Amino acid sequence: MMISLKRVNAILQKDFKDFSRNFAVSSIIFTPIILGAFYGRIGVDSLESHYMLINMAFAMVASFVQCCLIAEEKEKNTLRGLMLSPATTAEILGGKSILTFVFTMIVVFFTGYLSEYKPENIAVIAVAVVLSSFFYIALGTLLGLYSKSVMEASVIVMPVFIIFSFGSFLTHIVEKYPILKVATYLPNIQLIELASKVETGAGFTDVLVELAIILGWVIAATFVTVVLYRKRMVD
């Protein structure tokens, strides 16, 4: 199946215009960067603090922004038009994810840079960050498809923000409540575990398990998103 770059580019340009007009959504991308600068200035240098900011960036940009962009399309009834157009599922979902992906990478980079996070192996961390962003974007798309308006999207995405930004603290109480051990397999926790191994000199072969788990989340989230999208096409 061929993907039309012209259609993808048209969807991308439309999303950029919608994003730039929505100040409430576009301004949210600066929050992780500002917090990163603040943490860097006060000397907070723990790995968990760095990844709380990075996971917050994922939740605020990759999930929240993507969710709002999809919800806005639904609110204006323009998503239906896209669904009925000759554009394929891959072209529509891909085109509507590129802008979010670019902004996510920019925000994560500057958040880490300003908080003075310096990983031992930047290549491993880069691959893990890119892989993680796919999960959060798919999750944002999924929630956007469930939302009926931007206002509803801003509410429905809040559990994602809480669980994936501050969920790392669950690891401290797993021993007391073994039932929470399942939380250690969340992609944000796996990213922290991967980063911890990298700090001890681990390479790609040493973090394959963590990368595989994150990839599994990406595949699952993408599959559910595509199924729901196609269901919306025939509703």
Side-chain angles (χ1 to χ4, degrees):
M1 180 179 65
M2 297 295 291
I3 294 179
S4 171
L5 295 180
K6 188 175 181 179
R7 289 174 185 162
V8 172
N9 183 55
I11 295 171
L12 173 60
Q13 289 186 33
K14 179 183 179 301
D15 274 355
F16 182 76
K17 291 178 181 177
D18 291 341
F19 175 82
S20 60
R21 293 193 192 105
N22 194 327
F23 179 76
V25 175
S26 58
S27 61
I28 197 74
I29 69 174
F30 295 104
T31 303
I33 297 176
I34 293 171
L35 288 174
F38 176 73
Y39 272 56
R41 300 296 79 76
I42 65 176
V44 175
D45 198 34
S46 68
L47 193 65
E48 284 190 351
S49 296
H50 287 305
Y51 276 89
M52 181 189 74
L53 292 173
I54 290 173
N55 284 317
M56 185 182 296
F58 282 135
M60 284 186 169
V61 184
S63 291
F64 177 78
V65 171
Q66 182 73 358
C67 181
C68 288
L69 287 175
I70 298 293
E72 187 175 18
E73 291 277 14
K74 289 186 66 180
E75 189 174 8
K76 294 178 179 178
N77 290 320
T78 53
L79 184 62
R80 177 67 63 185
L82 281 174
M83 289 178 171
L84 297 176
S85 72
T88 64
T89 300
E91 289 168 353
I92 295 172
L93 295 183
K96 297 196 70 63
S97 299
I98 294 174
L99 181 67
T100 306
F101 174 76
V102 171
F103 276 124
T104 300
M105 293 298 99
I106 293 173
V107 172
V108 168
F109 171 79
F110 280 106
T111 299
Y113 176 77
L114 292 174
S115 66
E116 300 183 359
Y117 173 48
K118 300 175 182 177
E120 293 296 324
N121 191 326
I122 189 67
V124 174
I125 296 299
V127 170
V129 164
V130 170
L131 200 58
S132 296
S133 71
F134 293 156
F135 164 75
Y136 287 95
I137 291 172
L139 185 59
T141 305
L142 179 65
L143 294 176
L145 290 171
Y146 270 113
S147 305
K148 296 178 181 178
S149 65
V150 176
M151 183 63 71
E152 185 178 328
S154 63
V155 175
I156 200 173
V157 81
M158 286 306 296
V160 173
F161 174 74
I162 296 171
I163 293 171
F164 294 101
S165 295
F166 304 102
S168 58
F169 295 105
L170 288 173
T171 56
H172 297 300
I173 56 176
V174 165
E175 292 183 4
K176 188 175 180 180
Y177 302 99
I179 194 172
L180 294 177
K181 187 174 177 60
V182 66
T184 61
Y185 292 97
L186 290 172
N188 57 324
I189 306 297
Q190 290 299 309
L191 184 59
I192 295 174
E193 291 186 4
L194 180 147
S196 298
K197 289 185 177 182
V198 168
E199 292 305 302
T200 61
F204 279 105
T205 56
D206 302 304
V207 297
L208 288 178
V209 173
E210 288 78 11
L211 288 175
I213 293 174
I214 296 173
L215 178 61
W217 280 99
V218 173
I219 294 172
T222 302
F223 176 78
V224 175
T225 299
V226 171
V227 169
L228 179 61
Y229 175 83
R230 289 180 175 173
K231 183 177 183 297
R232 289 286 185 267
M233 290 180 70
V234 296
D235 283 346

